Amino acid sequence: MVPTARDGVALFAEGSGARTVNRVSCNSPTYDGSTVTGIGRAKALRIW
């Protein structure tokens, strides 16, 4: 699987790890397994 820009936005907004967003299961692991805390969708949209 090749990461896309959308994957980066999800990681930035939601953080790393498995979760369910709008009834869709997704997983955004990091390369080295470290954890990333997201800043939230609203803040990410303001930056994007």
Side-chain angles (χ1 to χ4, degrees):
M1 176 186 212
V2 176
T4 65
R6 188 175 86 181
D7 297 327
V9 173
L11 179 63
F12 185 60
E14 302 291 336
S16 61
R19 73 193 138 293
T20 302
V21 178
N22 295 330
R23 296 183 302 211
V24 176
S25 297
C26 57
N27 190 9
S28 295
T30 59
Y31 176 77
D32 62 359
S34 62
T35 13
V36 174
T37 302
I39 64 167
R41 288 185 231 165
K43 286 181 182 177
L45 284 174
R46 280 189 260 151
I47 294 168
W48 200 257

